[in-house]
């Protein structure tokens, strides 16, 4: 039989829009011996996690917990639990992940209405509001930070109007949570989905969500107790007032009974991932959310200064740049994938390409979570310059790193 | 702000039907720095995992990979991808997890036909075959090892008839994979779902599945390329020949494009969990599947000998006992939960209660994976005796551990 080697991953500087490097303290947490899912010590850790998620999402919502799956599992759980077949859902799309919201909403049976914005920009909130007033959807589904194009959509005005009109406002904050402010309550967001493997720097595998009472009422009206747990003939046998949720795994009415004091058995909670998420949240809150956002802004500034000093044009409308992703236009005639491959294999640095119409046209560089630090930014700029020179680009050697150093030194002087 | 403590889980001997203790080598693998999802080193680990899963499932199937979620995510992925709305699905139910198959199949839009067997036994294969011939379902969905009752269903004859009649045969082997033989090809199973947190001793969080060409043809006929990845107006725009799969996250036609050479972006693979699964599989294959099954039989024998020597009756039909779960009838007048609580808090040992009609009537003791060892069995028997005496039971002190020691010594003498 073939002998499989012991695991031995090469060291990597991961500067993509996720997954990014994981704090060693989170990695250590993953390696602790497990507890049973109903062990009181473990349910206490689940409760800690809920409390910390409320702080992260800046919400007073009762419900804030992870869905057990990658980020899109959280999106699907929220959409499939909230959307009743035939309901109208408006999806403003300005990049790849808007299309994903459309796709999932469609599979949930929604009548989906898309408005699209050319990639590289975002919507003026008034444009979206006009469509909401005209179409009167039951829900608006939108991406906060679109990693495919590196743009960020302002949400506050849209949320305000949704609340006034009784439209459910659902936000995909997978890319932004923990890196830039996500103000669940202040922006009147009814349900938010976050991601772990980006600005939280926890490995992919859980999707933190939160939702308010308005969303909860809609979800619990669709509740159906699981067959194996019902009392035959009892009042829980078949009592859903509204069309049942089409997924069992993503049925939030069941998930909240598992995360709540009832602790009604659903899935077997992912112990090690929960350890990791709890530790990741602990580190985020210990750093302080505002301090963390400022850190992301600082390293973005240094990276952007370096890229511009190298003479490389940034992609997209700067007014709506997503602070944690920087998109760089690939110079005419240069093979973007060859540059990425050389960065990876010679320098151990990973950056990303993009999707669809942007494939081959931009590189995407993430400055997220634990990966978002001075060492990484300077290492990347130096290596990037070297690879570009090696690929025949003519640029002013040394300028990128010097410009980034200026940003860091100016910051130190101000303090 | 509240200070959250550093993680510090108490040591536990976990003798439940899952999740069970994790091999320290798997825990170590979880703590390794991550790689990007399209890093060639990482995709090589994904390929290793697929190869090892084929060996685990004893199959020549091309497709064997984990679904990113807990065990029931694997069940839902297989059912939602295979069941077209309106199709007839037969579910023979002999415990709680049969009801789960019914529930999920129903949510997938199947016309579900259940046949039920009183808990504590399993079906004579001929009974199931008679219903198959009468009802002519499109699929048969069945649990291999039912942890709620500690029973195991023979599958080979049912599989043979399903294949002859062109009925898809889908098996939930969550509890059995890696602990008792699961012969995917020899038993003519079209799709199997395994669990990580039981006999594989990898933390909960992934659900290995495998399916054959027959299942694949059905799934790919329902394939729809994801909106954000399609060529507008191109031939992939809307080409599904059959009703589309109602989930995006669980759409196996997309998952296999991600796990296959196309590597078409879907979710972000769970890096750390994949490290853990790969390492867990490596350890299973290094031990040898047959050796591993024999180990599970040995410790079951020792546990059963000990329980019986203590004078406690086992629950259920011994002819179909699930080797990795031993169900013990709670003596009349004894508070089963108090016993479990004392075992946990005084001895650091976790055993399980049960569900539905068996709640308060049986304890369930797992001997699975890394937890299935002599130290654990002897520790449990000694502690169990002590707690029962403490709770007023009259039993012959010392007999349980002595009986288990006899089993171990007889085994040593035979070798």
């Amino acid at each position: 039989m073939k002998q499989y080697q012991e695991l031995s991953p090469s060291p990597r500087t991961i500067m993509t829009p996720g997954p990014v490097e994981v704090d060693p303290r989170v990695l250590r947490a993953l390696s602790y011996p497990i507890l049973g899912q109903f062990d009181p010590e473990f349910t206490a850790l689940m409760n800690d996690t809920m409390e910390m998620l409320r702080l992260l999402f800046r919400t007073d919502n009762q419900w804030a917990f992870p869905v057990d799956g990658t980020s899109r599992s959280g999106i699907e759980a929220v959409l499939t639990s909230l959307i009743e077949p035939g309901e109208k859902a408006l999806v403003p799309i300005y990049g790849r992940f808007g299309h994903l919201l459309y796709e999932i909403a469609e599979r949930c049976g929604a009548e989906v209405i898309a408005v699209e914005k050319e990639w590289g920009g975002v919507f003026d909130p008034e444009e979206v509001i006009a469509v909401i007033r005209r179409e009167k959807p039951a829900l608006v589904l939108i991406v906060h930070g679109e990693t495919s194009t590196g743009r960020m959509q302002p949400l506050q005005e849209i949320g305000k109007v949704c609340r006034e009109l009784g439209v459910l406002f659902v936000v995909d904050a997978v890319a932004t949570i923990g890196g830039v402010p996500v103000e669940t309550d202040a922006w009147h967001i009814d349900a938010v989905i976050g991601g772990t493997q980006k600005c939280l720097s926890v490995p992919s595998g859980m999707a933190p969500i939160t939702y308010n009472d308005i969303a909860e009422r809609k979800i619990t009206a669709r509740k159906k107790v699981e067959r194996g747990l019902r009392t035959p003939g009892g009042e829980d046998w078949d009592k859903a007032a509204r069309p049942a949720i089409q997924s069992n795994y993503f049925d939030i009415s069941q998930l909240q009974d598992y995360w709540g004091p009832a602790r009604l058995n659903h899935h077997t909670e992912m112990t090690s991932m929960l350890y990791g998420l709890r530790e990741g949240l602990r580190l985020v809150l210990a750093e302080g959310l505002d301090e963390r956002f400022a850190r992301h802004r600082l390293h973005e500034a240094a990276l952007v200064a370096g890229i511009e000093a190298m003479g490389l044009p940034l992609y997209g409308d700067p007014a709506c740049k997503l602070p944690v992703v920087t998109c760089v236009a690939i110079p005419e005639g240069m093979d973007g994938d060859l540059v990425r491959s050389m960065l990876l294999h010679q320098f151990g640095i990973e950056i990303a390409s993009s999707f669809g119409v942007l494939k081959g046209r931009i590189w995407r560089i993430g400055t997220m979570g634990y990966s978002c630090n001075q060492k990484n930014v300077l290492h990347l700029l130096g290596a990037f310059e070297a690879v570009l020179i090696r690929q025949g680009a003519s640029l002013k050697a040394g300028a990128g790193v010097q410009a980034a150093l200026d940003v860091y030194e100016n910051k130190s002087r101000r303090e």
Side-chain angles (χ1 to χ4, degrees), chain A residues 327-340:
Chain A
C327 296
V328 181
I330 298 173
E332 199 66 40
M334 186 159 288
D335 180 342
D337 283 342
L338 202 62
V339 169
R340 289 176 55 235

Side-chain angles (χ1 to χ4, degrees), chain A residues 139-368:
Chain A
L139 310 95
V140 171
L141 320 173
I142 198 163
V143 173
H144 185 213
E146 179 61 77
T147 53
S148 64
T149 63
R151 301 303 108 185
M152 184 164 68
Q153 173 67 48
L155 298 175
Q156 187 159 20
E157 298 88 338
I158 301 171
K160 192 158 168 287
V161 171
C162 282
R163 184 65 49 89
E164 281 165 17
L165 298 177
V167 175
L168 277 177
F169 189 41
V170 178
V171 171
D172 165 355
V174 167
T176 47
I177 197 75
V180 297
V182 176
E183 300 285 349
T184 303
D185 290 358
W187 297 348
H188 303 293
I189 309 176
D190 296 297
V192 192
I193 305 99
T196 54
Q197 81 282 11
K198 298 180 189 274
C199 300
L200 294 183
S201 278
V202 170
S204 171
M206 286 192 148
I209 62 170
T210 187
Y211 53 93
N212 62 16
D213 293 352
I214 304 170
E216 187 190 357
R217 277 196 296 276
K218 187 163 183 189
I219 292 167
T220 50
R222 305 177 69 192
K223 182 172 172 172
K224 223 179 103 186
V225 176
E226 193 173 301
R227 206 179 142 85
L229 301 174
R230 280 178 234 164
T231 323
E235 67 168 71
D236 54 358
W237 187 248
D238 198 2
K239 66 164 190 181
R242 305 284 315 163
I245 294 164
Q246 71 183 14
S247 168
N248 169 284
Y249 192 72
F250 292 136
D251 182 338
I252 290 181
S253 74
Q254 294 193 39
L255 291 178
Q256 70 179 31
D257 279 346
Y258 178 61
W259 280 89
R263 292 273 172 235
L264 200 57
N265 189 248
H266 184 251
H267 60 282
T268 299
E269 188 51 26
M270 297 178 172
T271 320
S272 303
M273 284 302 306
L274 197 270
Y275 284 177
L277 178 59
R278 180 186 175 281
E279 182 67 4
L281 293 170
R282 197 174 76 85
L283 298 177
V284 167
L285 297 177
E287 179 176 2
L289 282 174
D290 291 327
E291 291 76 5
R292 195 171 176 93
F293 302 150
R295 169 164 66 82
H296 281 82
R297 282 287 184 187
L298 170 67
H299 298 296
E300 178 204 23
L303 175 67
V304 165
I307 296 287
E308 289 183 330
M310 287 161 69
L312 293 171
L314 297 184
Y315 163 83
D317 179 359
C320 55
K321 183 180 179 301
L322 176 60
V324 296
V325 180
T326 297
C327 296
V328 181
I330 298 173
E332 199 66 40
M334 186 159 288
D335 180 342
D337 283 342
L338 202 62
V339 169
R340 289 176 55 235
S341 170
M342 197 169 165
L343 273 173
L344 184 70
H345 293 110
Q346 305 286 351
F347 294 88
I349 299 175
E350 192 187 7
I351 67 169
S353 58
S354 194
F355 307 95
V357 292
L358 293 179
K359 210 171 157 60
R361 286 184 45 210
I362 62 170
W363 292 298
R364 297 178 304 140
I365 302 171
T367 39
M368 290 178 158

